[in-house]
Amino acid sequence: MNSALVKAANDEQIVNTALILLLNTVTMFHPSVHADWAIDRKIFHFGDFFEARTDGLLKIAGVEVPLAIVEVKSHLREGNINQIQMQESAQMAAWLYNYPNQGLLTSQFRRLIVSQDNREIYLTFAEYDAAYLQYLKNENTISVSKDAAPPSFMTMHQFGPWNCFDSKFVESVGRIILAFTIQQSKTYTSN
């Protein structure tokens, strides 16, 4: 479908509701899922520098930490990809800053942001290490030694887009979302 034929939604909340409904439809009836995708907007503060707001999250009752975050746009990424990726990276960094020790997930050093831009869904996995968490908290020491470890960075791995108008794409992304949600459910309910 030609992107020029797809108009931006009148309200971003329309896209947000559609994505959360899809995520819950994919996961809600599986017996191993104990988490819910919610429209709850979450605000993360990054020190005194800025705040990042998300459009939804994956959560388990009684667990304060978001298991994944959601970001939506009423328009496609075309022409805005750099700004959108910067926003998602800032949201991820702020999430890590607020919740650096996320149960067993800290040892895996990855987190997920699910995005929908108009009709397109993206999955972005952030990879990082303990040194990056120290960097965020300004706890690392910088050594000028030639043997010093290089600075640590977070890497964002973006996959997609999956077109919501194509049932094969929806089935494909749905399987990934279901597997991720089951993994998160098991991580937090087996402790």
Side-chain angles (χ1 to χ4, degrees):
M1 181 177 293
N2 184 342
S3 62
L5 299 177
V6 178
K7 295 180 181 178
N10 292 337
D11 186 345
E12 190 175 90
Q13 194 61 21
I14 295 168
V15 179
N16 194 23
T17 302
L19 178 59
I20 296 296
L21 288 172
L22 172 65
L23 297 173
N24 276 318
T25 299
V26 166
T27 60
M28 68 191 302
F29 294 112
H30 195 285
S32 296
V33 171
H34 307 290
D36 295 303
W37 292 93
I39 291 179
D40 301 1
R41 294 178 185 264
K42 186 77 174 166
I43 300 173
F44 301 110
H45 291 94
F46 193 95
D48 295 330
F49 301 112
F50 68 89
E51 68 178 28
R53 296 172 181 255
T54 65
D55 295 315
L57 52 91
L58 176 63
K59 66 181 185 176
I60 291 180
V63 176
E64 178 186 352
V65 178
L67 308 179
I69 58 176
V70 173
E71 177 60 31
V72 302
K73 299 284 182 238
S74 62
H75 53 81
L76 295 174
R77 286 189 180 218
E78 292 176 0
N80 299 303
I81 193 163
N82 291 335
Q83 295 89 341
I84 291 172
Q85 288 177 337
M86 284 190 288
Q87 178 187 4
E88 291 174 351
S89 295
Q91 288 170 323
M92 189 63 70
W95 179 19
L96 291 170
Y97 183 85
N98 282 252
Y99 297 99
N101 299 317
Q102 192 165 326
L104 298 176
L105 295 180
T106 302
S107 65
Q108 296 173 0
F109 299 102
R110 71 175 179 262
R111 295 199 187 170
L112 171 65
I113 182 168
V114 179
S115 307
Q116 183 168 342
D117 302 338
N118 196 288
R119 70 173 188 276
E120 298 177 339
I121 297 175
Y122 295 85
L123 302 178
T124 305
F125 291 90
E127 286 187 316
Y128 57 95
D129 59 16
Y132 182 73
L133 294 174
Q134 290 176 332
Y135 166 76
L136 288 178
K137 295 286 189 177
N138 201 22
E139 296 172 349
N140 61 339
T141 56
I142 299 174
S143 174
V144 292
S145 160
K146 68 177 183 172
D147 298 326
S152 180
F153 295 96
M154 173 179 65
T155 304
M156 302 282 280
H157 301 280
Q158 178 183 287
F159 300 92
W162 284 272
N163 185 336
C164 293
F165 296 155
D166 186 323
S167 62
K168 290 181 183 176
F169 282 122
V170 173
E171 182 179 354
S172 174
V173 75
R175 289 175 189 266
I176 297 166
I177 291 296
L178 178 59
F180 178 83
T181 307
I182 290 170
Q183 177 198 32
Q184 296 305 297
S185 294
K186 288 183 178 181
T187 298
Y188 281 91
T189 57
S190 63
N191 291 338

